Amino acid sequence: QVQLEESGGGLVKPGGSLRLSCAASGSIVSINAMGWYRQAPGKPRELAAAITTGGRTNYADSVKGRFTISNDGAKNTVYLQMRSLKPEDTAVYYCNLDAWGNQGRYDYWGQGTQVTVSS
């Protein structure tokens, strides 16, 4: 099966920065896209940023200009560089993998990492 290992969450003050990492491993044939979703208390999960293997990116309007998503194909890893963080960025961030496995195309999810922006 596929495993996603997330890291980089934590507590940061407004205006600060964090970098999230997510490394995929296991029975992956090919990766279509990787991304980060976030879920704040009482709110639905939403896409923060995503990137395809070809480098096409998609960002939520609320994070454009502040977050940068990138990937390292050799390591099957996606990064989310977050800067100028705001309290409204506080959420559990989940790594998402859109990939082809031996049995077909699947979405995989990390366990989530907490990002808290507070003074």
Side-chain angles (χ1 to χ4, degrees):
Q1 256 292 2
V2 172
Q3 298 171 262
L4 298 176
E5 186 168 325
E6 302 165 319
S7 63
L11 175 64
V12 65
K13 292 184 176 181
S17 299
L18 286 172
R19 190 170 85 150
L20 306 182
S21 299
C22 177
S25 62
S27 57
I28 301 169
V29 175
S30 63
I31 294 174
N32 299 310
M34 296 185 74
W36 290 93
Y37 286 72
R38 64 185 186 180
Q39 187 167 23
K43 294 186 176 181
R45 190 174 299 186
E46 66 172 359
L47 176 69
I51 185 168
T52 69
T53 301
R56 187 177 182 181
T57 58
N58 188 26
Y59 295 95
D61 288 341
S62 58
V63 310
K64 286 181 179 178
R66 299 187 297 117
F67 291 11
T68 302
I69 191 166
S70 61
N71 59 4
D72 183 339
K75 298 181 179 180
N76 286 341
T77 299
V78 65
Y79 305 94
L80 185 66
Q81 179 66 54
M82 305 183 292
R83 61 182 178 86
S84 300
L85 283 161
K86 304 175 180 180
E88 50 262 44
D89 295 317
T90 296
V92 177
Y93 284 70
Y94 297 91
C95 180
N96 174 256
L97 170 67
D98 173 13
W100 285 92
N102 290 327
Q103 304 304 122
R105 185 173 179 177
Y106 297 100
D107 266 349
Y108 301 94
W109 294 91
Q111 78 283 356
T113 184
Q114 178 71 48
V115 172
T116 301
V117 185
S118 177
S119 60

